[in-house]
Amino acid sequence: MSSLLIKSASQIITPKPGELRGQAIKQLTEHTYTSIFIQDDIIQAIAPVDELLSRIPGDCQIIDASGKAVLPGFVDSHTHLVFGGHRENEFAQRCAGITYEEIAKQGGGILSTVNATRSMSQEELIERGLLYLQKAVRHGTTSIEIKSGYGLDRDTELKILRVIDKLKEIQPVEITSTFLGAHAIPPNKSKSDYIQEIKDMLPEATVLADFCDVFCELGYFSVQESLDILCEAKKFGLIPRMHTNQFNNIGGIQGAIEIGAVAVEHLETLDDTDIAMLAGTDICTTMLPGVSLFLKIPYAPGRKILDAGCIPVLATDFNTGSCMTLNMPLILNLACTQMGFSMPEAVSAATQNGAYALGKENVGCIAPGWQADLMILDSDNYQNLIYFYGEPQIEKVIKKGNIIFDRNLSWKVPGLE
């Protein structure tokens, strides 16, 4: 029976359990000069160390957290972490004034990533996935969602899902898998033919994935096409979510409500009518400010979403084309500086609400009976994690009661050296 004591933390900060909206998302619980006792992956008690001494076994591992702040591990609920190739040259071209459309005509854009992903073996993609997960942990992420979508054919989409499935087994970050065959239309194939191909993938995809996602956007999949795919996915037990309102408002929010999606994601073009509709549902509104920074597009209307009483979520959207970062503290800084979030709202949206968006019931806050997924900062105030942006401030990361990152030592778990 393994046990861990995080002793005498200057500050323990946590959102409340459950989905958070309205006033609840603004309210963080703070414990000062308090300890956390963990046994068998689970938080057993939060109390002053003197009150815990009688419960601590002799072989308990002890971390002295004096002068440190402790927060829940981040739940990054929207990424495209498995892909081949890189597009740094395209980024350099864009910085030099070449448009995305011009780059695409030269063979760049998403299709360049598709071709690179198709050419890589499953083993190569696993190795790269481990590297990216290592980077995510360094930034405090302990749970993550990974989508397919860079295959655009049966063999590669399923290869990506198998890679995600293998990554679940060989490293400690908790992974949720999403099938995003409907990410784009492959070249030399009609949309109707590809939609049928996506449907034909579903019996195998449902064995490997938890969710099904669709890019509902002009030039990609219409609302009706998105609903057609998601309705079929539901028959196989896949839970629907939807990329929508990134560049255009084509009615994706109404479609997501109709199909019963658990989350709508991007939302840069969300209008007041859509916000009001979402506020009357339990659909998570997942915002991805790193994309707005990277592509120089408008940010999602975060303050309006918060004030309306929606369920706000923050995530990275880590991918090779539009957001090449796994830095969740940076995402929180952007939410606060560019989207009107308060610091407590940003923390809640990146932890407890991220867990809610992925259907995780015991992840995302620090409370007795909850999974021990935590980060320990090198500061005594959690606000520094957002305020002092761009600076490494996470000293230790703990997943299920085990230290998986220690900045002062090295990687602690096989697969994340």
Side-chain angles (χ1 to χ4, degrees), residues 88-154:
E88 62 270 35
N89 290 337
E90 293 180 20
F91 179 64
Q93 288 178 296
R94 283 182 24 233
C95 291
I98 299 175
T99 67
Y100 182 88
E101 290 75 15
E102 291 170 327
I103 292 170
K105 287 179 182 178
Q106 299 169 8
I110 187 173
L111 294 181
S112 68
T113 303
V114 169
N115 290 332
T117 305
R118 289 176 177 179
S119 68
M120 288 182 72
S121 69
Q122 185 168 311
E123 291 70 26
E124 290 171 324
L125 289 170
I126 290 169
E127 183 177 353
R128 178 173 287 192
L130 284 171
L131 173 64
Y132 292 144
L133 287 167
Q134 180 190 78
K135 294 178 184 296
V137 169
R138 190 181 303 148
H139 294 299
T141 295
T142 53
S143 296
I144 199 166
E145 182 255 19
I146 306 176
K147 304 177 191 293
S148 70
Y150 285 122
L152 304 187
D153 63 22
R154 176 189 172 279

Side-chain angles (χ1 to χ4, degrees), residues 110-374:
I110 187 173
L111 294 181
S112 68
T113 303
V114 169
N115 290 332
T117 305
R118 289 176 177 179
S119 68
M120 288 182 72
S121 69
Q122 185 168 311
E123 291 70 26
E124 290 171 324
L125 289 170
I126 290 169
E127 183 177 353
R128 178 173 287 192
L130 284 171
L131 173 64
Y132 292 144
L133 287 167
Q134 180 190 78
K135 294 178 184 296
V137 169
R138 190 181 303 148
H139 294 299
T141 295
T142 53
S143 296
I144 199 166
E145 182 255 19
I146 306 176
K147 304 177 191 293
S148 70
Y150 285 122
L152 304 187
D153 63 22
R154 176 189 172 279
D155 289 347
T156 315
E157 286 294 316
L158 294 175
K159 177 175 70 174
I160 295 170
L161 291 176
R162 286 193 296 270
V163 168
I164 298 169
D165 199 51
K166 185 64 176 179
L167 290 171
K168 292 179 183 180
E169 297 177 11
I170 62 176
Q171 57 75 55
V173 177
E174 198 165 340
I175 297 174
T176 300
S177 179
T178 297
F179 172 54
L180 180 60
H183 196 191
I185 312 300
N188 305 317
K189 187 168 291 188
S190 71
K191 187 188 290 189
S192 60
D193 285 347
Y194 185 55
I195 289 174
Q196 184 57 53
E197 187 174 338
I198 291 169
K199 292 179 179 180
D200 292 341
M201 297 179 207
L202 289 170
E204 294 172 279
T206 193
V207 177
L208 297 165
D210 305 293
F211 296 93
C212 183
D213 200 348
V214 176
F215 188 27
C216 182
E217 179 59 72
L218 283 180
Y220 294 85
F221 297 90
S222 70
V223 174
Q224 191 52 53
E225 290 162 345
S226 299
L227 294 180
D228 185 28
I229 293 166
L230 293 175
C231 184
E232 190 69 15
K234 286 180 72 173
K235 295 177 183 178
F236 290 91
L238 291 172
I239 302 168
R241 55 199 317 129
M242 188 183 288
H243 278 59
T244 190
N245 289 66
Q246 181 176 6
F247 301 112
N248 300 278
N249 188 337
I250 62 171
I253 299 303
Q254 297 95 315
I257 294 171
E258 179 181 334
I259 198 66
V262 297
V264 287
E265 310 181 4
H266 272 293
L267 311 180
E268 290 88 346
T269 63
L270 206 62
D271 61 28
D272 292 349
T273 300
D274 289 335
I275 292 171
M277 285 192 295
L278 286 167
T281 74
D282 290 330
I283 297 174
C284 294
T285 54
T286 303
M287 291 165 272
L288 311 165
V291 177
S292 298
L293 175 70
F294 196 84
L295 295 183
K296 295 192 290 188
I297 63 174
Y299 289 83
R303 189 68 255 161
K304 288 185 175 182
I305 289 170
L306 287 156
D307 289 343
C310 299
I311 304 173
V313 178
L314 292 170
T316 62
D317 192 19
F318 173 66
N319 73 87
T320 184
S322 64
C323 193
M324 195 66 182
T325 187
L326 286 156
N327 188 331
M328 283 292 283
L330 173 61
I331 298 304
L332 272 64
N333 175 275
L334 292 171
C336 291
T337 60
Q338 307 300 315
M339 298 167 64
F341 278 68
S342 68
M343 286 189 180
E345 288 168 336
V347 169
S348 298
T351 55
Q352 182 57 52
N353 276 3
Y356 180 76
L358 298 181
K360 296 186 178 298
E361 297 182 352
N362 69 335
V363 171
C365 76
I366 301 174
W370 286 64
Q371 191 164 284
D373 296 358
L374 315 166

